[in-house]
Amino acid sequence: MLKFFTTGELAKICNVSIRTVQFYDKENIVKPSKLSDGGRRLYTEEEVKKFRCICLYKALGLSLDEIKKVSQTQNPYGLLSEIVFFQRLKIDEEIKNLEQMKARLSVITEQINEAGKVEVESIDDLEELMRRKERHKRTDVMTYIFLACYVLVLLAGFPIAAALGGFAPGVMGVAAVILLSGLIFYHSQVNSYICPVCGKRFSIGFFKDAFSFNGIRKGKFLKCPSCGRKGWFKETYFH
């Protein structure tokens, strides 16, 4: 004997409103099996199962038209697979856009924290600032590579050169000086600093970079050329 469920019972089972059940009936997506003598909609267990699948498709982000097509086609799973595939592509694109928006907001926040204001005036300015941030990240990587090569020369090169004798120690000494000079020059060319007091940004030359104390994450111990403040200045990709 078939068991029937009223609109209210179906709504409770599927955790939706009665109006939602009525809406899917009106849209010919899940029709009741029959009407009672009093005109009440009555659904079978098969229709309850179908309605629960409809709720699942809705939760997965399918549109009403897509749900209609899936519920009315002879091969629902083949069509559903195709729809879900394109739904995933759409979600990937949305995630990409949201990540880009998050990156933009991060740059704006960093600029406010460093300069006390937003200096970009257009989306093009903001995109250029983001490109600078990426270049700054690559700069850090290159700096560490240069530093690793320099340390390798010191730790491995000199003992080997000393064992070889002759001109080898001198050659290794020259190589170490060149590597260190290259690191300092590269660092001085791509980095700038911002004063936390006056908000002015400035760059430093090769010799100042070479003979200033470096506090790694604290930056360098410098003097602001604008306000004269002395202290630790962090590197910035803002120019």
Side-chain angles (χ1 to χ4, degrees):
M1 182 177 178
L2 284 176
K3 181 178 180 180
F4 292 97
F5 301 86
T6 65
T7 300
E9 290 171 334
L10 176 58
K12 186 175 182 180
I13 292 171
C14 297
N15 196 27
V16 297
S17 66
I18 292 176
R19 182 170 293 183
T20 299
V21 177
Q22 295 170 342
F23 174 76
Y24 284 124
D25 176 15
K26 180 182 177 181
E27 294 293 328
N28 295 316
I29 297 176
V30 181
K31 302 289 292 182
S33 178
K34 67 177 185 176
L35 298 177
S36 68
D37 294 337
R40 300 174 69 187
R41 297 176 177 85
L42 295 176
Y43 297 87
T44 63
E45 290 183 345
E46 187 65 27
E47 286 150 1
V48 172
K49 180 180 177 181
K50 183 178 180 181
F51 199 94
R52 295 183 72 175
C53 287
I54 298 302
C55 292
L56 171 63
Y57 301 155
K58 184 67 176 176
L60 292 174
L62 273 67
S63 67
L64 182 62
D65 288 339
E66 291 170 335
I67 290 174
K68 278 184 179 181
K69 290 177 182 178
V70 171
S71 64
Q72 295 170 1
T73 187
Q74 294 297 318
N75 181 22
Y77 298 115
L79 178 59
L80 180 62
S81 176
E82 180 181 338
I83 291 174
V84 167
F85 173 77
F86 286 105
Q87 180 73 359
R88 288 177 60 191
L89 291 181
K90 184 173 72 173
I91 291 173
D92 287 341
E93 185 64 26
E94 290 175 354
I95 290 173
K96 179 181 177 181
N97 291 335
L98 288 172
E99 289 290 346
Q100 185 179 43
M101 182 62 70
K102 181 180 178 182
R104 289 172 176 171
L105 294 173
S106 176
V107 168
I108 291 294
T109 301
E110 289 169 3
Q111 190 172 68
I112 292 174
N113 290 340
E114 288 197 13
K117 59 182 177 179
V118 177
E119 296 180 334
V120 294
E121 298 178 351
S122 68
I123 190 64
D124 291 335
D125 292 342
L126 183 56
E127 291 297 326
E128 174 58 27
L129 201 57
M130 291 176 67
R131 284 191 288 270
R132 272 192 247 153
K133 182 177 182 179
E134 289 302 313
R135 286 197 296 268
H136 190 265
K137 287 182 179 178
R138 291 194 293 270
T139 296
D140 285 343
V141 173
M142 291 300 298
T143 300
Y144 290 132
I145 291 174
F146 268 118
L147 188 59
C149 291
Y150 179 68
V151 172
L152 185 62
V153 168
L154 292 179
L155 295 180
F158 277 111
I160 294 174
L164 292 174
F167 294 105
V171 172
M172 291 305 300
V174 171
V177 171
I178 291 174
L179 280 173
L180 181 59
S181 298
L183 172 62
I184 295 171
F185 178 77
Y186 181 75
H187 190 268
S188 66
Q189 291 296 304
V190 298
N191 285 300
S192 60
Y193 303 84
I194 186 167
C195 179
V197 176
C198 67
K200 298 292 184 180
R201 286 184 290 275
F202 61 94
S203 299
I204 59 176
F206 174 84
F207 290 104
K208 183 167 284 189
D209 199 317
F211 295 104
S212 298
F213 290 110
N214 195 320
I216 311 299
R217 291 198 175 276
K218 291 197 300 181
K220 278 187 168 293
F221 192 86
L222 301 167
K223 178 180 179 181
C224 175
S226 297
C227 68
R229 183 256 186 186
K230 291 183 178 181
W232 293 104
F233 290 79
K234 288 186 177 180
E235 297 169 357
T236 179
Y237 57 91
F238 300 113
H239 294 291

